[in-house]
Amino acid sequence: MLALKDVTINYANRSIIKDVSLDVHAGEIVSIIGPNGTGKSTILKAISKRIGVAGGSIMFNHQNLTDMSVKEISRLMCMVSQSNSSPHDMTVGELVSYGRLPYKKWYERMSKEDEEIVQWALSQTHMEVYRERLVQRLSGGEAQRAWIAMALAQQPKMLLLDEPTTYLDIAHQLEVLDLIKRLNKELGLTVIMVLHDLNHAVQYSDKICVIHRGAVHAYGKPADIMTRQLIGQVYGVEAEIEQVGGVPRIHIIKKSNVKDVSKMMNIKPMDIAVLKENYQKLVGGAQSVFLSTIALDGSPFLSYAPFVEHDGKVYVYLSQIAEHYRNLEANPAVDVMLVADESATKNIFARERARFKGQAKNVGNEGYEDVFAKFEAKFGTPTFKMLRTLDFSLFELTLAKGRYVVGFGQAFDVDFAGEHFEHVNRDAHGLDVKPSTKQGE
Amino acid sequence: MFKGSTARKSMLLVIMLLLLILSTLIAIGIGSVSVNPVVTLQTLFGYGDDTSSVILWDIRIPRVLLALIVGANLAISGALMQAVVQNPLADPGVTGVSSGAAVAALFIMLAYPGASVYVPIVAIAGGLLAAAMVYMMAWQRATGFQPVRIILSGVAVNAIFGGVIGLLSLLYSDRLPSAIQWMNGSLAGKEMSDVLMILPYSLAGWIIALLSIRQVNVLRLGEQTAHNLGQNMNRVRLMLSLLSVGLAAVSVSMVGLVGFVGLVVPHIARMLIGSDYRYSLPLGILLGAIILLLADMIGRSLFSATQIPAGIVMAMLGGPYFLYLMRKGGA
């Protein structure tokens, strides 16, 4: 029914939405979720042609939106926002009557048929008794129902809802969502809504589209896409997911420490500049820090990341770690990489050294053996001590010359005090590791 | 009090219409030679004596008609502008039309006093030019005409022209008194030909405004909803702005700068009859006409030696009334 293809939306010369593609079938409820400021509402606005697209196309029943007038579009879809403004003296009946406007020429008045449709819209939303009430005197939930009634009076094929439950208490949230679900079922109304509550999205949607940094991070049935990893990557929170009758139920535990790494490592923008500057040198000349890691299948192994020393501290170029994530992705037996527990990794340096003996090269075209040797010569034999695990983990890397803390985990997405390492050729999982300029440049 | 039923709203409109007729008759009668209402009516229907005929037809009636027309124009212009920029503090001047007209008119009046007959036409040109500047500045390809940009461009353009007005006043301070009447909106010395000049444009504007009421009404629901209901926001904003600018331009060019009506009358209308423009716009038209008429009447009869421009009277008497309505809790 609705097809977005490679839609790019710019605002003030910055792209807010980049290459978003989305297929919505007739009769579906699709929820768009994602952190604040990722462009969810922008997508809804583009679908309703409130804002134009800079690239790509939006098709409604195989007809391009750009070929349709605003009035034609207003007969196909209607948008209801989190809060809508109405004059202080407008009644519910008047408001809903405005829903007939898309069908009226400028000289036409309300006909008997229009009146019936208004009545029908009011009854569908159980608002008949409120007809003479002032919209501004309604409670949040009633007001939202009044606006949905106006949308219904437009007899749209599709309902767009921008955070329809944001200002409502939980009972009214459910009431509005139940109403939407019922309209979807009984009238076959296609619904696209932006929601914040993940459990509501899961519970009320046929499909969920996760938007992260202006791109589609995942799109599919709630049970298929809602994973701890996804929630961790997109929202930076730790969550547990329980399956209740085939429907995932999400419990948010706490905020991950992803962003704390900048504090832990004392990395400042200046340091990042040093990192960048040295990157080429590092991969060419190869000094690496070893990180102890373990895959979910239980096998511990060492990974490495280039580092620099600056002001007596070691900084690790964390993007390098993402390379390993990608390697792991290629291996279906490995779900996700976690940091090893202490016992498994205590002597991993020696073990890995033995394992890599004779193997040819690493990133810096240096023999692994040489790296191990160089490292040991410089720092002594490292021992690993785990500080904590989960989506993000921290390591205290104990070397002969001192203690260093390095971050690990979702490190490739880490935000160093507001400065991103953006990864250009990011693949579907956001795992490409090419270093690039910081965001906004 | 009349915010309730349609019947009461209609009644208020009828009362206001009667008030308009009544005040028109009184205004025609009042002046240095007063004519009682009966004689006024007689004269209007062609049964008056020669003296009163001359006084009424050549002096009073043109002036009264002009007050009615200009008052109505400015009230509509202000109401449309407030709807377009969704800001209750907007008045016709937001579009730069008044300051543009003032600069052009002052330039003629001060620098080339001999060409004063051209003041109206030059003022119209100046007003339209300033408004065009404001809208050109406000336009953005991505977002079209955003209300806040219209207001900001208006503020900037008004500031520029305000500076020019100050400069002109300084350079030609000796000739300034001749321009003071115009700067404060004066209806003195107008003839029937002036009335006939602006009547067709004003009538056309009123008709278009009344036909656009639905568009104006939808704007009350906010930009997003208006868009959802199939309104091409840029087209609507531009059309209503053009209408507002046009009505203000012809008015200002004829009588000079009349403040207050455009800003306050739409509010008074809303306080009395509610926000629905189907009622508040007609009421605003009637109110604008009555208020300017009364202001002019008071201004010309208060002191026999000096005619006080209508704009000054309105501001001094209308302001307190507006405050009273506001305190009473109308809006």
Side-chain angles (χ1 to χ4, degrees):
Chain A
M1 182 181 214
L2 182 81
L4 279 72
K5 193 158 187 306
D6 300 330
V7 169
T8 297
I9 300 167
N10 293 341
Y11 191 76
N13 296 326
R14 262 188 59 199
S15 53
I16 303 291
I17 293 294
K18 211 162 162 15
D19 297 331
V20 163
S21 297
L22 197 65
D23 264 307
V24 178
H25 301 293
E28 277 182 339
I29 297 185
V30 172
S31 287
I32 301 176
I33 62 169
N36 288 335
T38 45
K40 305 181 296 287
S41 302
T42 309
I43 294 175
L44 280 195
K45 282 181 184 164
I47 293 173
S48 67
K49 210 183 170 182
R50 171 90 190 280
I51 52 174
V53 296
S57 65
I58 302 176
M59 311 287 275
F60 191 94
N61 283 340
H62 309 292
Q63 203 187 351
N64 199 320
L65 225 58
T66 49
D67 301 332
M68 288 189 251
S69 74
V70 180
K71 196 149 184 167
E72 281 174 297
I73 290 169
S74 69
R75 290 177 209 144
L76 298 174
M77 57 183 92
C78 182
M79 179 135 126
V80 176
S81 307
Q82 45 194 306
S83 69
N84 304 279
S85 66
S86 70
H88 64 96
D89 57 351
M90 186 178 273
T91 64
V92 172
E94 274 178 80
L95 176 71
V96 178
S97 311
Y98 276 103
R100 297 307 298 157
L101 202 63
Y103 295 91
K104 301 276 119 185
K105 296 220 171 58
W106 62 273
Y107 53 85
E108 281 180 319
R109 301 178 66 113
M110 287 274 286
S111 67
K112 202 159 171 253
E113 194 198 337
D114 294 320
E115 192 45 53
E116 280 163 14
I117 292 167
V118 167
Q119 193 57 41
W120 167 84
L122 286 167
S123 73
Q124 281 292 326
T125 49
H126 302 309
M127 289 300 285
E128 301 113 309
V129 290
Y130 296 95
R131 193 181 175 129
E132 299 305 324
R133 291 268 289 273
L134 294 178
V135 180
Q136 289 207 346
R137 295 272 168 83
L138 299 177
S139 75
E142 291 160 356
Q144 223 39 330
R145 270 157 53 204
W147 284 90
I148 291 172
M150 186 193 85
L152 285 184
Q154 286 178 246
Q155 297 184 300
K157 306 268 179 291
M158 196 163 74
L159 198 56
L160 305 174
L161 301 157
D162 190 1
E163 298 183 25
T165 57
T166 293
Y167 292 120
L168 306 181
D169 64 53
I170 183 68
H172 286 110
Q173 288 182 17
L174 294 178
E175 181 191 288
V176 166
L177 289 167
D178 283 336
L179 170 65
I180 292 164
K181 186 94 181 176
R182 183 167 60 76
L183 296 175
N184 162 263
K185 276 237 169 68
E186 290 176 7
L187 308 175
L189 207 55
T190 310
V191 177
I192 304 179
M193 55 184 169
V194 170
L195 286 181
H196 267 311
D197 189 302
L198 300 182
N199 281 311
H200 287 169
V202 165
Q203 207 178 331
Y204 287 93
S205 319
D206 298 306
K207 283 185 189 157
I208 289 181
C209 174
V210 184
I211 302 288
H212 187 37
R213 293 195 184 157
V216 175
H217 192 89
Y219 181 46
K221 293 197 175 111
D224 296 341
I225 63 163
M226 288 311 258
T227 59
R228 286 179 57 226
Q229 290 77 9
L230 178 130
I231 294 167
Q233 282 169 357
V234 172
Y235 289 99
V237 295
E238 293 168 14
E240 275 171 9
I241 295 180
E242 185 188 357
Q243 296 292 333
V244 183
V247 179
R249 182 177 294 167
I250 300 149
H251 304 283
I252 305 297
I253 315 279
K254 61 178 170 187
K255 195 160 166 17
S256 319
N257 287 334
V258 174
K259 291 193 173 160
D260 291 349
V261 75
S262 53
K263 273 184 216 146
M264 302 291 285
M265 294 178 71
N266 196 22
I267 288 186
K268 297 187 186 87
M270 180 193 71
D271 302 323
I272 288 172
V274 173
L275 273 178
K276 279 189 205 163
E277 212 176 277
N278 283 289
Y279 181 70
Q280 276 308 315
K281 204 166 71 192
L282 284 165
V283 289
Q287 298 185 81
S288 298
V289 159
F290 290 85
L291 298 171
S292 162
T293 58
I294 190 166
L296 271 194
D297 65 356
S299 57
F301 59 92
L302 264 190
S303 62
Y304 53 83
F307 73 94
V308 289
E309 280 183 296
H310 185 74
D311 275 355
K313 284 203 165 64
V314 167
Y315 299 107
V316 183
Y317 190 80
L318 296 156
S319 286
Q320 196 64 29
I321 297 160
E323 194 78 58
H324 287 280
Y325 273 84
R326 194 160 58 171
N327 293 341
L328 289 167
E329 290 282 336
N331 181 354
V334 180
D335 190 358
V336 75
M337 185 165 61
L338 284 180
V339 170
D341 61 76
E342 213 171 322
S343 59
T345 53
K346 205 159 191 173
N347 301 311
I348 197 169
F349 187 79
R351 258 197 1 240
E352 290 295 292
R353 191 175 183 178
R355 192 160 76 87
F356 279 105
K357 199 165 186 167
Q359 283 188 28
K361 58 183 167 63
N362 73 352
V363 260
N365 291 322
E366 209 173 4
Y368 272 111
E369 246 175 292
D370 299 333
V371 178
F372 279 85
K374 262 187 177 172
F375 193 90
E376 203 167 20
K378 193 167 169 87
F379 295 112
T381 309
T383 57
F384 292 92
K385 183 169 186 271
M386 190 202 61
L387 297 179
R388 51 182 298 274
T389 67
L390 268 174
D391 285 346
F392 179 76
S393 303
L394 284 176
F395 256 97
E396 188 185 66
L397 181 61
T398 311
L399 302 170
K401 290 191 172 177
R403 288 166 71 237
Y404 302 96
V405 172
V406 295
F408 186 50
Q410 285 194 332
F412 55 92
D413 250 334
V414 92
D415 183 336
F416 296 117
E419 302 230 10
H420 285 290
F421 278 98
E422 272 278 307
H423 304 295
V424 247
N425 307 311
R426 194 186 273 268
D427 65 12
H429 302 281
L431 292 178
D432 203 313
V433 290
K434 278 219 183 79
S436 75
T437 54
K438 70 183 179 199
Q439 208 176 38
E441 266 179 14
Chain B
M1 59 186 146
F2 282 100
K3 276 188 219 154
S5 66
T6 344
R8 300 187 85 174
K9 287 176 180 173
S10 309
M11 201 162 77
L12 184 59
L13 284 174
V14 172
I15 293 173
M16 209 49 82
L17 187 64
L18 292 176
L19 262 176
L20 176 81
I21 294 168
L22 188 67
S23 47
T24 304
L25 289 179
I26 294 171
I28 291 174
I30 285 181
S32 43
V33 178
S34 65
V35 183
N36 73 50
V38 180
V39 179
T40 304
L41 276 176
Q42 280 175 346
T43 312
L44 282 177
F45 291 104
Y47 299 107
D49 56 71
D50 286 351
T51 326
S52 50
S53 279
V54 169
I55 294 174
L56 295 193
W57 285 111
D58 289 357
I59 302 168
R60 299 271 172 79
I61 292 175
R63 184 165 186 161
V64 163
L65 285 179
L66 206 60
L68 296 176
I69 294 169
V70 167
N73 283 355
L74 292 176
I76 297 176
S77 178
L80 294 180
M81 218 49 232
Q82 287 169 6
V84 166
V85 298
Q86 285 160 18
N87 189 318
L89 287 178
D91 72 349
V94 164
T95 55
V97 63
S98 314
S99 57
V103 166
L106 270 185
F107 186 69
I108 295 294
M109 287 188 284
L110 298 179
Y112 299 98
S116 281
V117 279
Y118 298 114
V119 162
I121 190 82
V122 173
I124 278 206
L128 294 180
L129 195 74
M133 270 172 71
V134 168
Y135 280 84
M136 260 155 49
M137 296 305 208
W139 172 260
Q140 268 183 318
R141 225 171 53 111
T143 50
F145 291 114
Q146 284 299 309
V148 69
R149 286 185 68 89
I150 296 177
I151 294 175
L152 289 178
S153 322
V155 167
V157 168
N158 278 329
I160 297 168
F161 285 131
V164 177
I165 291 171
L167 187 67
L168 282 174
S169 315
L170 200 66
L171 289 177
Y172 300 97
S173 51
D174 51 328
R175 296 179 188 165
L176 203 53
S178 66
I180 280 182
Q181 288 276 334
W182 193 92
M183 291 297 283
N184 287 292
S186 167
L187 293 144
K190 297 297 177 204
E191 295 165 8
M192 203 47 121
S193 61
D194 295 322
V195 175
L196 292 177
M197 197 163 97
I198 74 165
L199 186 64
Y201 300 106
S202 306
L203 264 180
W206 301 349
I207 292 168
I208 299 172
L210 292 173
L211 290 176
S212 319
I213 282 181
R214 189 182 282 168
Q215 270 74 32
V216 186
N217 254 341
V218 178
L219 291 180
R220 289 184 301 157
L221 294 172
E223 186 174 354
Q224 176 69 54
T225 306
H227 173 88
N228 282 337
L229 292 170
Q231 300 292 309
N232 184 327
M233 288 306 286
N234 283 329
R235 202 189 295 159
V236 170
R237 284 204 175 111
L238 193 62
M239 190 200 84
L240 296 179
S241 300
L242 272 176
L243 191 53
S244 167
V245 167
L247 284 171
V250 293
S251 310
V252 171
S253 70
M254 192 52 72
V255 304
L257 302 181
V258 182
F260 194 77
V261 179
L263 172 66
V264 173
V265 166
H267 285 289
I268 297 179
R270 275 192 291 266
M271 286 173 189
L272 292 175
I273 211 164
S275 72
D276 190 337
Y277 282 97
R278 279 179 303 170
Y279 300 102
S280 74
L281 196 67
L283 184 69
I285 295 177
L286 296 174
L287 267 176
I290 293 174
I291 290 179
L292 188 56
L293 179 70
L294 292 180
D296 181 52
M297 188 175 80
I298 295 170
R300 68 187 150 94
S301 52
L302 205 55
F303 305 108
S304 51
T306 316
Q307 297 220 344
I308 302 172
I312 293 179
V313 177
M314 219 157 26
M316 290 176 68
L317 295 183
Y321 175 64
F322 179 65
L323 286 176
Y324 160 75
L325 271 185
M326 202 183 75
R327 291 295 303 179
K328 226 181 71 183

